[in-house]
Amino acid sequence: MPVYNNKAAAHGRKASNVHKVPGAKLPKAPIKKKDEEEAVDVPDGLDEWSHLKATVKPSNQLELSEAELKEEITRILTANNPHAPQNIVRYSFKERSYKPTSVVDHLAVHFVLEGSLLHKDSDEARRLRIRDGLPKEDAPMENEAESDENHIETPATPVEDGGEGEEAGEEDRPDSVASKPDKKEAKCTNQFNFSERASQTHNNPSRDRSCQTEPPPRITFSVAANQWEIYDAYMEELQKQEKNKEKKKTTLLKKNNKTSKKKMTLMETQSDNIAKVGKVSKIIERMINQNTMDDIAQDFKYYEDPSDEYRDQEGTLLPLWTFQYGIARNLSVTALCWNNKYQDLFAVGLGSYNFSKQEGGMFLLYSLKNSAFPECIYYTTLGVQCLDIHPQHSYLVAVGFYDGCVAVYNLKEKEPHPVYKSTAKTGKHTDPVWQVRWQNDDMDNHHIFYSVSSDGRVVSWTLVKNELISTDVIRLSVNGAVTDGPNSAQLSSISHGTSFDFHKQIDNLFLVGTEEGKIHKCSKTYSSQFLETYDAHSMPVDAVKWNHFHPKIFISCSSDWTVKIWDHTISTPMFTFDLNAAVGDVSWSPYSSTVFAAVTTDRKVHVFDLSINKHEAICQQTVVARKKTRLTHIEFNPISPIIIVGDDQGNVTSLKISPNLRKKPKSKKGHELPKGSEAEVAKMDKLLSLLREPELSTI
């Protein structure tokens, strides 16, 4: 048989074949070397057989040195599949390229068998037994136990003293049935359990024979009878006491009910009277205000500034009503929103931009029919930073607070408390909420609104039953990449959101403005990366809004004194306007695609019409008398030609736009203008085409 060298076999090579040749002697040096390495003593009797062995090497055997022979080569067995592909690539939407996947499935299935066995104690097995009418598994054991009990309880002799003694003697025997450990012993009933008295008679209380080892005493009946008499007397006394207590309670309840009914009727009548008086007083108040401010109402309805005919494409703003609430003097107007269903109604959010003085806030509902007092007042423990009225359900108002909470108020409810409010458990923001916006309902007809905060999160809130369910839409980052989770975000890389707006036609597209001056174009369905980033401003972006008519145009304003108009397909602004003061807010007009207005901290309102003048505002007007007052927000009425302006003193001023500020494009000879929004889109497209011409490219 051939003999293999272990070390050579470790290298994967076969050792030389060794044969026994008579008369040949093996060299002793290798044997000594091997003996020295293995520390084995060679017996003296083996030397005389050494001449019978000889080494024969083949001609093609590999010669290895001592170091190579001593080298140990380890082989590791793994569970990797050698036939699994190693060059699989997948497309990475984040890096926009194909990347090789490092994870390869090495599982190889050799045999699969789906069984239908069920454990006999499982619920499904019990249901199957019941459905098929099979007996239970425990039935035979229960029958055996019952038979054993019956066998134990049947006496061998009549109930006499001697019979009981014999029975007791049989129980003492080791081979008796009662002494076997595997048989059940009968349960001894409690003779003092009074709940079983109904089943007992005037005879001696029965006793279980299996539990008796001695004859029963003869005084058992008298003791039991005395016990029952005591118990009956005790129970009768308790029942009498309970009846007396119930009588006293009923009399007291009747008296209390009578008094409470009287109070309730008085309160109901008073509340009904107050409600009736409240409605009547509101109507009377409106009538008085309309009489005292009839000149303002006439100007709002009929007056048109005749001097516009003599001005060279310039207009004016006519002051109308000023809405004031005495308690809100120390608060700033942080949000304005018109009601789409009732165009005379608008909401005002009141808080403070001075974060060292947060003493509470409120939001009010005003009507143009009554400027003296708000229609509804909702007080809040923290400052209101933003709000939005639902476009279809006008009674729902979403509100964002300074502490990062969002809430939903139902104006139909009588109590001035939110019906929904976020908490730390439901994923509220950790910094002030700067803007909220209602969006279309989901597939289950649940109302949805979105919020943006300084914590770098854009969150979707769903109104489900009595709770708010939050979902992070996107997380903002300074370096342009969106963080994957809250643990991976570092404080230095978080980008603080300040404003956002959703596209009017494309539901998934929205813009987010940040404190770093950048504007990110994002998508609801693609939250791993920004679609586009615009280096818009050098200071925080205070507002960003899509045009109501043109799907490509949006506007932004900042505290760096500038207002910029953008085409979202181009990374540079189309127009840039310097207003010489910090811009608090900007708003597109609902009647023209080229008209917008902005407010600055120097108490001025700037109105632009790009179709008339692409360089300067066609109206600049100071609307507040006090020098220290700063304008914070502005909004156009959706139907009437008026705007409302809020300031940092809690006041809201309404202004009527002159005819020069709301001109419509004129049709040329032989050309008909398209109707509705198509005309506004065509007007903006014409303006953009003129802007892209070489001679106007420097604007």
Side-chain angles (χ1 to χ4, degrees), residues 13 19 81 89-90 97 152 155 163 184 230 269 280 391 418 431-432 488 491 506 558 569 613 625 627 679 686:
R13 307 178 189 91
H19 302 277
N81 185 6
V89 295
R90 297 184 186 277
S97 63
I152 292 170
K184 276 191 175 182
I230 295 170
T269 53
V280 174
D431 284 337
S488 61
L491 293 176
I506 305 173
S558 172
T569 60
N613 193 335
K627 293 183 179 180
K686 182 179 179 181

Side-chain angles (χ1 to χ4, degrees), residues 52-104:
L52 298 176
K53 297 179 181 180
T55 303
V56 179
K57 294 183 180 180
S59 59
N60 58 351
Q61 180 177 347
L62 182 63
E63 295 291 341
L64 298 177
S65 62
E66 291 295 332
E68 291 176 343
L69 289 172
K70 290 180 180 179
E71 183 182 359
E72 293 183 359
I73 298 176
T74 59
R75 293 182 181 273
I76 301 173
L77 296 178
T78 61
N80 294 338
N81 185 6
H83 302 290
Q86 302 295 332
N87 54 354
I88 298 177
V89 295
R90 297 184 186 277
Y91 186 76
S92 174
F93 290 94
K94 185 174 183 180
E95 300 183 8
R96 297 182 180 180
S97 63
Y98 285 94
K99 295 292 183 181
T101 59
S102 59
V103 180
V104 180

Side-chain angles (χ1 to χ4, degrees), residues 196-324:
E196 296 180 359
R197 190 189 178 192
S199 62
Q200 297 180 2
T201 61
H202 293 286
N203 300 328
N204 285 345
S206 61
R207 293 195 178 186
D208 197 348
R209 297 290 182 182
S210 61
C211 296
Q212 289 184 0
T213 57
E214 295 180 0
R218 297 187 182 276
I219 60 172
T220 304
F221 174 75
S222 60
V223 172
N226 292 331
Q227 289 175 353
W228 291 124
E229 290 175 359
I230 295 170
Y231 175 74
D232 291 339
Y234 179 73
M235 292 301 296
E236 288 177 1
E237 186 67 24
L238 280 178
Q239 289 176 0
K240 289 180 181 179
Q241 292 178 2
E242 288 178 357
K243 286 181 181 179
N244 293 331
K245 288 181 180 179
E246 288 179 358
K247 286 182 181 179
K248 291 180 180 179
K249 285 182 180 179
T250 51
T251 53
L252 289 173
L253 286 173
K254 286 180 180 179
K255 291 181 180 178
N256 293 332
N257 287 333
K258 288 180 181 179
T259 54
S260 62
K261 283 181 180 179
K262 289 180 181 179
K263 289 181 180 179
M264 287 295 292
T265 52
L266 290 173
M267 291 292 292
E268 287 177 357
T269 53
Q270 289 177 359
S271 62
D272 293 339
N273 293 333
I274 291 172
K276 292 178 182 178
V277 171
K279 291 180 181 179
V280 174
S281 62
K282 279 187 177 181
I283 296 172
I284 295 174
E285 187 180 18
R286 288 183 181 181
M287 293 171 62
I288 294 172
N289 286 328
Q290 288 179 3
N291 290 331
T292 55
M293 301 181 180
D294 182 63
D295 53 347
I296 298 177
Q298 295 296 326
D299 291 343
F300 164 70
K301 192 73 176 177
Y302 303 108
Y303 181 78
E304 300 292 350
D305 192 356
S307 62
D308 278 11
E309 298 179 1
Y310 306 99
R311 291 192 180 94
D312 186 15
Q313 297 178 347
E314 291 183 357
T316 58
L317 297 173
L318 177 65
L320 296 176
W321 300 280
T322 300
F323 300 87
Q324 296 177 344

Side-chain angles (χ1 to χ4, degrees), residues 351-569:
S352 176
Y353 289 119
N354 186 0
F355 298 140
S356 61
K357 298 179 181 179
Q358 290 291 330
E359 299 178 354
M362 65 184 75
F363 77 91
L364 313 174
L365 291 174
Y366 281 106
S367 175
L368 298 178
K369 299 176 183 178
N370 183 13
S371 61
F373 199 78
E375 298 292 318
C376 299
I377 303 171
Y378 292 88
Y379 295 98
T380 58
T381 56
L382 292 167
V384 175
Q385 301 299 321
C386 55
L387 57 83
D388 189 30
I389 301 176
H390 199 285
Q392 285 82 30
H393 307 281
S394 58
Y395 54 89
L396 293 178
V397 181
V399 182
F401 296 100
Y402 166 75
D403 65 340
C405 289
V406 294
V408 178
Y409 287 82
N410 189 347
L411 303 183
K412 293 182 178 180
E413 298 289 336
K414 295 182 179 180
E415 295 182 359
H417 300 294
V419 292
Y420 299 93
K421 190 172 183 180
S422 65
T423 60
K425 291 183 179 179
T426 56
K428 80 176 188 69
H429 294 282
T430 57
D431 284 337
V433 180
W434 291 113
Q435 204 162 359
V436 291
R437 280 286 181 270
W438 288 101
Q439 287 296 293
N440 297 328
D441 297 348
D442 61 3
M443 301 296 291
D444 298 328
N445 294 327
H446 293 146
H447 302 318
I448 296 176
F449 69 94
Y450 290 77
S451 63
V452 64
S453 171
S454 297
D455 62 359
R457 298 164 56 208
V458 177
V459 182
S460 169
W461 302 91
T462 307
L463 279 63
V464 180
K465 293 185 179 180
N466 295 325
E467 63 176 350
L468 283 175
I469 297 177
S470 64
T471 304
D472 285 0
V473 178
I474 200 167
R475 289 179 176 270
L476 306 177
S477 177
V478 173
N479 55 8
V482 181
T483 55
D484 295 329
N487 296 328
S488 61
Q490 298 178 359
L491 293 176
S492 59
S493 64
I494 293 176
S495 180
H496 308 285
T498 55
S499 59
F500 72 151
D501 193 27
F502 289 87
H503 200 276
K504 309 302 179 184
Q505 301 174 9
I506 305 173
D507 184 61
N508 293 328
L509 194 64
F510 65 96
L511 299 168
V512 182
T514 63
E515 287 186 2
E516 294 77 21
K518 294 183 179 181
I519 299 175
H520 304 294
K521 182 171 68 173
C522 311
S523 175
K524 296 179 188 177
T525 58
Y526 187 65
S527 60
S528 62
Q529 192 175 359
F530 301 134
L531 301 180
E532 189 73 32
T533 299
Y534 308 94
D535 291 329
H537 299 276
S538 59
M539 294 184 72
V541 179
D542 293 328
V544 55
K545 296 181 180 180
W546 289 98
N547 192 285
H548 295 292
F549 301 97
H550 203 285
K552 294 183 179 180
I553 304 301
F554 69 90
I555 193 170
S556 65
C557 69
S558 172
S559 301
D560 62 356
W561 299 8
T562 60
V563 174
K564 296 183 180 181
I565 297 176
W566 304 77
D567 184 343
H568 78 87
T569 60

